[in-house]
Amino acid sequence: MTQKALFITSNIGVEHDELIQPLHFLQSKGIECIHAATEARDVRTLKMDSDSAASYSPAVDLDHVHYDDYDLLIIPGGAVNADLLRHHPKALEIIQSFSNQAKPIAVISHAPWVLINAERIQAKHLTSHQSIRLDLKNAGAIWVDEAVHKCKVGGGTLISLRSPEDLPAFNQAILKELESNSSI
């Protein structure tokens, strides 16, 4: 059976490489990837949270994605993207469902912000963009200064990435997690 990864984003402020590099990498490995956005319209991406990059059409909006069908949830960063997602009820519901089912969640850069509002951060060990370190600590997370971190505290796996420079290591970590889950 083909494994499936769900990418969730808002429609603006998504870091281009944090969406496209993991998506293309997993697709190249035979993983079915679906990109769902808050609305069924183009997603505008950015480089370094400021320079316009390409736009992409999501496959579906968050209200119509059948998220129980997926093996892995990936949340790309971008400060605006993460800030918008953390206030979107369906995004929070998706995160809570993956967490409750102990399915792996992978977050990049600013994306752990969303975990705070989903109330899925307590006692989790993770890394992130430096600018949200204090927010995560104040919400009960244990922040670590590592390029990529994998946490199994509290059921399920949380894979976090500090910055886009380390996307190749992140891609390998999420692939390894999917491979380990497929042998169960």
Side-chain angles (χ1 to χ4, degrees):
M1 177 183 282
T2 301
Q3 289 191 296
K4 296 170 75 174
L6 175 63
F7 288 74
I8 63 169
T9 68
S10 69
N11 289 86
I12 58 172
V14 180
E15 271 298 322
H16 179 270
D17 291 349
E18 295 175 19
L19 171 63
I20 296 306
Q21 286 186 27
L23 185 99
H24 288 168
F25 174 78
L26 290 176
Q27 288 173 331
S28 77
K29 301 299 181 185
I31 309 294
E32 182 180 341
C33 297
I34 298 296
H35 173 202
T38 52
E39 296 178 28
R41 61 179 175 83
D42 279 356
V43 172
R44 295 187 326 229
T45 66
L46 299 172
K47 295 267 189 180
M48 304 302 294
D49 273 332
S50 62
D51 298 327
S52 291
S55 292
Y56 298 93
S57 296
V60 65
D61 65 64
L62 294 182
D63 289 328
H64 293 95
V65 67
H66 300 285
Y67 51 86
D68 287 331
D69 297 340
Y70 294 88
D71 303 296
L72 170 72
L73 175 62
I74 300 173
I75 309 171
V80 172
N81 175 58
D83 193 40
L84 291 172
L85 275 181
R86 69 188 184 141
H87 298 288
H88 195 282
K90 194 63 163 191
L92 302 179
E93 178 183 312
I94 291 168
I95 292 164
Q96 291 164 348
S97 177
F98 270 79
S99 178
N100 292 346
Q101 295 178 60
K103 290 183 178 181
I105 298 173
V107 291
I108 304 171
S109 189
H110 286 86
W113 242 354
V114 187
L115 300 177
I116 294 171
N117 288 47
E119 298 180 354
R120 295 303 188 265
I121 200 75
Q122 190 68 36
K124 293 287 188 182
H125 297 81
L126 72 158
T127 193
S128 69
H129 190 276
Q130 177 70 21
S131 67
I132 66 168
R133 175 189 58 81
L134 189 56
D135 295 338
L136 296 169
K137 284 182 169 184
N138 287 340
I142 294 93
W143 192 85
V144 297
D145 190 11
E146 297 176 7
V148 178
H149 188 79
K150 184 175 176 179
C151 174
K152 289 206 172 256
V153 171
T157 301
L158 176 62
I159 301 168
S160 54
L161 175 69
R162 183 176 50 203
S163 70
E165 291 80 32
D166 299 304
L167 278 164
F170 176 80
N171 290 341
Q172 289 300 321
I174 57 178
L175 180 62
K176 185 175 179 181
E177 183 65 24
L178 282 170
E179 289 172 345
S180 71
N181 287 343
S182 70
S183 62
I184 296 174

